[in-house]
C-alpha cells in the first residue's frame, strides 16, 4: 500500500509540473507487483533478481504514462484494496500476455480521478 501511495504521489507531482511547464510535459510510467525476490549486494550496489522482479519491470511497459499498472496479486493485498477504496481512482481491469511469461495476466490500470 505504501508503494501504491508513493506511485500516486509521483503521478500527482508530475501533473503539477506539467501544469506549470506546458511546454515541457513529462510522462512517468509505473508498474508494480508483489512477491519475493533475491537481493544481492555486489560492488557496493544492492540489486534485485527473480521472476517477480522481471514481472514488475514488464508491468512498467504496460503503463501509458499518468497511470499505475498493478498485478492482480498486488490488487489482492488487503492494505492495497483498502487504499483503493479510500481514494478517488479509476480502476480498469484487463487481461494481457506479458513477454517472457507463458500465462495471461489480469492487470489493473489505476488513474487518479482529476489527474
Amino acid at each position: 500500500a505504501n508503494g501504491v501511495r508513493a506511485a500516486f504521489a509521483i503521478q500527482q507531482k508530475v501533473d503539477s509540473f506539467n501544469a506549470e511547464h506546458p511546454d515541457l510535459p513529462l510522462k512517468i510510467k509505473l508498474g508494480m507487483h508483489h512477491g519475493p525476490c533475491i537481493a544481492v549486494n555486489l560492488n557496493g550496489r544492492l540489486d534485485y533478481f527473480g521472476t517477480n522482479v522481471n514481472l514488475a519491470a514488464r508491468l512498467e511497459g504496460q503503463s501509458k504514462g499518468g497511470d499505475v499498472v498493478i498485478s492482480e496479486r498486488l490488487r489482492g493485498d488487503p492494505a492495497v484494496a483498502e487504499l483503493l477504496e479510500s481514494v478517488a481512482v479509476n480502476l480498469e481491469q484487463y487481461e494481457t500476455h506479458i513477454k517472457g511469461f507463458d500465462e495471461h495476466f489480469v492487470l489493473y490500470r489505476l488513474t487518479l480521478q482529476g489527474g
Side-chain angles (χ1 to χ4, degrees):
N2 286 339
V4 174
R5 204 174 283 111
F8 287 158
I10 290 167
Q11 294 299 15
Q12 287 174 320
K13 290 288 186 183
V14 170
D15 287 346
S16 296
F17 176 87
N18 287 342
E20 294 174 15
H21 304 89
D23 54 325
L24 301 168
L26 295 177
K27 273 191 182 181
I28 302 290
K29 295 183 175 186
L30 297 167
M32 302 179 72
H33 180 59
H34 169 76
C37 67
I38 298 169
V40 176
N41 193 346
L42 186 62
N43 298 325
R45 285 189 47 190
L46 186 59
D47 207 349
Y48 300 92
F49 299 92
T51 302
N52 289 314
V53 175
N54 292 338
L55 180 56
R58 300 284 189 207
L59 295 186
E60 176 270 330
Q62 291 286 316
S63 175
K64 296 177 180 178
D67 58 358
V68 181
V69 175
I70 65 171
S71 65
E72 186 171 38
R73 184 187 299 171
L74 186 58
R75 168 71 175 96
D77 180 275
V80 172
E82 184 178 328
L83 171 65
L84 296 179
E85 290 176 9
S86 70
V87 297
V89 63
N90 295 319
L91 189 138
E92 173 195 343
Q93 177 182 328
Y94 67 100
E95 291 186 39
T96 191
H97 176 76
I98 303 288
K99 182 180 176 185
F101 293 87
D102 292 333
E103 67 268 29
H104 274 70
F105 289 88
V106 174
L107 303 177
Y108 298 86
R109 184 178 315 284
L110 311 176
T111 310
L112 289 171
Q113 293 177 7

